[in-house]
Amino acid sequence: MADSSTKHPFEVWLEHQETEGMARRQSRLAGLNTPADVAEWAQQARQWYRDRVGAPIPTPNPRRPERVGAIERVGYRVEKWLFDVMPGTVTAANLYIPNDPNPAGLGIVAPVGHWAQGKANVFYQDLGGYMARNGVALLVYDHAGLGERREFWARVLNEPLLGESPTNEHDRTGDVATLAGVQPSRFYLTEALVARAFLATFPFVKPGRIGVTGASGGATLTRFAAAYDDDWAFAIPACIIRGEHVIGGGDAEQCCWGSGARGVAPVDLLATMVPRPVMIISEPPYDGAAVSFATLKRIDELGGAPDAAEFFAIYDEHGYTH
């Protein structure tokens, strides 16, 4: 790390803001002692995040969702759907439907991480098939820049203009959104809420029993969604919750303006789910996720939900495997 004397004044100022923010965070967390303390902390954190992002983008007259195909599998089927997520914007989605749905009506919305294949990514296919074979319906859909929603496309060459990585598209649109004063995550969170509302229209899923899980960039959206809306039944981010540092890095929609100065670590927005269930999954056990899990566990215990948090870590690929 460069000596502070060689750094640009803006870098020094930014680090100072983050240091002070994290100190305030530690002091605030240390002051949590009762369920009432936890409830107040969670409410304040949720409200701060919602104010930062802004309200979901409304679609006043969405078109009727269209079923465009189905694939039969052993124990389940995959239905292909198109539905509006924002005005003038359609997403393609795969709905994994179990032949024998669970009686509790559990369902899962699965935002995709930064894999160019989008919903067709092998990790998400494995996840959908596994959940469906075990009675849980799962909906996986393409975000802008993924799968069938590549937005910067060379039609003559039939290839992406900005390279294979979806992060290139997200940052390109994020530049414009930032100049307009709009947090890019607002668009992605809107899509997640629309996807949940769509999944809730099926009779084998109960609206209050729908959870969210994603891996990598989809896990970032999972922890953002946990704080953005109160109606998620559970949250399972995979391969993204690491140590106790401020939110930052990643491409445009994975950033949250002002989180450094306020002192918001990756686990904090996820912990606002208390007392609802949360599970942290990590692919390298030594990446600091255990420290964040300890924070989550303490908040849940103080909030009166000692069994709400789970943790799984094993050295493996970055995605859904074990």
Side-chain angles (χ1 to χ4, degrees), residues 81-149:
W81 285 87
L82 300 173
F83 56 89
D84 286 2
V85 286
M86 282 177 286
T89 304
V90 176
T91 194
N94 291 340
L95 176 58
Y96 292 77
I97 302 176
N99 291 352
D100 185 19
N102 71 91
L106 293 176
I108 296 176
V109 169
V112 181
H114 296 100
W115 286 281
Q117 309 94 332
K119 63 187 180 304
N121 173 267
V122 64
F123 290 136
Y124 279 78
Q125 290 191 54
D126 289 345
L127 174 69
Y130 177 84
M131 289 298 175
R133 286 193 300 272
N134 285 277
V136 181
L138 181 139
L139 179 71
V140 55
Y141 59 99
D142 285 335
H143 286 303
L146 306 175
E148 296 182 89
R149 291 183 62 190

Side-chain angles (χ1 to χ4, degrees), residues 133-224:
R133 286 193 300 272
N134 285 277
V136 181
L138 181 139
L139 179 71
V140 55
Y141 59 99
D142 285 335
H143 286 303
L146 306 175
E148 296 182 89
R149 291 183 62 190
R150 299 307 293 261
E151 298 187 338
F152 295 85
W153 194 263
R155 296 189 178 185
V156 174
L157 299 175
N158 195 32
E159 63 183 24
L161 282 169
L162 304 178
E164 288 297 326
S165 174
T167 60
N168 296 335
E169 290 206 13
H170 293 174
D171 284 337
R172 181 68 62 87
T173 55
D175 290 342
V176 178
T178 300
L179 289 173
V182 178
Q183 292 243 28
S185 58
R186 183 183 180 195
F187 301 109
Y188 297 84
L189 287 164
T190 294
E191 292 177 357
L193 296 183
V194 172
R196 187 184 65 195
F198 170 71
L199 181 57
T201 64
F202 291 87
F204 43 82
V205 175
K206 294 181 180 179
R209 295 295 185 93
I210 298 174
V212 57
T213 185
S216 193
T220 299
L221 187 56
T222 295
R223 60 181 167 85
F224 283 177

